[in-house]
Amino acid sequence: MENQGLYLTSFQRKLLLKSLETDLRPEYRRRIEIMLRTDMGQSQAQICNELKCSQETARYWISMARSGNAHRWNDQPIGRPKAINEEYIEHLKELVSRSPREYGYPFQRWTAQWLKKHLAKKLGIEVSDRHINRILKELGLSTRSKTEKIEQDSVFVQKQSAFKIGDIPASASPVFLGTIDIFKVNQSHSSENI
C-alpha cells in the first residue's frame, strides 16, 4: 500500500517527485518542496525555516497543495520571460532599415504595433508596443526616417521661434504674482496700434 499524504493525490505526489528529478530553477524546486512538505504535515513556520522562503511564498504554495492544485506548480512563470534574443534584435534592425512595402504592407513607415505583429508572426515571440519602442531607443533606432526627423525638428524650431521678444510692447508691465495680467498687456498693445 502506498504512503498517503494529507492533501495530494498519489498522481500529484508522483508528478511532483518526478519533477524534482529534472533540472529545475531553484524557485520551481522550492514550490514543489513546499507542497510536498505540506502534504507530509509540516507547518508553514517549519517550511519557511527549512527552505529559507518567505511566509507569502509558503502560504501561497501551501494553499495550492491543500486546494488540490499541486499539479499546477509551473503554471505561473517566475519573473519576466527573456523573449527577446539576438535573432529578434537582428530582425528588428533589418525591418527598421527597410520600407514596410518591401514586406508586402501598404504603408510607408513602420509603427511599433506593426513591428510587433510582423516579428510575432515571423519568430513567434510576442512583446508589447512599449517594449518595441524601448528596444528601438536602446539601439538608437527609430521608425521615422532621418528626413522625417529633420523635417519635424525644423518645424519644431520654427514654432518655437515664431514668438519674438520684439513682439512684446515696451510699455507692458508684467505682474509677478503667479499670473500675468493679460488684460493690461493686451490693452497697452492695442493702444500702441491706434
Side-chain angles (χ1 to χ4, degrees):
M1 173 104 182
E2 189 176 318
N3 188 11
Q4 287 290 328
L6 297 174
Y7 305 104
L8 304 177
T9 64
S10 61
F11 169 77
Q12 288 173 327
R13 195 173 310 99
K14 284 179 188 175
L15 175 71
L16 294 178
L17 289 169
K18 188 77 173 160
S19 297
L20 280 177
E21 294 173 9
T22 62
D23 185 30
L24 292 175
R25 288 177 57 168
E27 299 90 349
Y28 286 122
R29 183 170 298 283
R30 186 178 306 125
R31 290 177 180 183
I32 293 171
E33 289 181 12
I34 290 169
M35 290 187 284
L36 288 171
R37 289 169 185 268
T38 300
D39 191 50
M40 294 184 320
Q42 285 190 353
S43 70
Q44 179 179 322
Q46 288 173 309
I47 292 171
C48 289
N49 187 39
E50 289 179 27
L51 298 179
K52 309 290 185 239
C53 66
S54 71
Q55 290 182 9
E56 295 80 29
T57 299
R59 190 171 23 255
Y60 181 83
W61 293 105
I62 287 169
S63 73
M64 289 296 279
R66 289 179 177 169
S67 65
N69 289 307
H71 59 283
R72 300 181 65 197
W73 64 269
N74 63 350
D75 283 1
Q76 295 181 342
I78 295 170
R80 180 181 289 178
K82 182 76 171 148
I84 304 299
N85 55 24
E86 198 58 42
E87 180 186 17
Y88 191 95
I89 298 293
E90 291 307 314
H91 280 287
L92 181 62
K93 287 178 183 177
E94 180 184 335
L95 289 174
V96 172
S97 70
R98 297 181 168 207
S99 168
R101 292 186 175 178
E102 292 180 44
Y103 297 91
Y105 295 108
F107 44 89
Q108 294 179 3
R109 184 169 63 91
W110 288 107
T111 62
Q113 184 178 18
W114 277 105
L115 288 167
K116 171 185 85 168
K117 286 179 182 181
H118 183 84
L119 289 167
K121 188 174 163 186
K122 183 166 181 83
L123 301 174
I125 297 173
E126 297 205 25
V127 298
S128 69
D129 298 1
R130 289 178 64 198
H131 195 54
I132 291 285
N133 284 325
R134 209 173 11 251
I135 295 167
L136 289 172
K137 187 175 181 179
E138 286 173 9
L139 295 172
L141 300 173
S142 174
T143 56
R144 294 185 299 159
S145 69
K146 288 182 183 186
T147 54
E148 274 183 293
K149 285 185 231 170
I150 291 168
E151 288 170 6
Q152 188 173 4
D153 290 346
S154 69
V155 167
F156 178 71
V157 168
Q158 287 173 0
K159 284 182 179 178
Q160 278 196 324
S161 60
F163 180 75
K164 295 177 181 64
I165 298 297
D167 294 342
I168 301 174
S171 61
S173 59
V175 178
F176 295 106
L177 298 174
T179 60
I180 296 177
D181 190 346
I182 300 297
F183 181 73
K184 217 178 202 183
V185 172
N186 285 339
Q187 191 177 32
S188 65
H189 186 59
S190 60
S191 64
E192 287 181 359
N193 293 336
I194 297 178

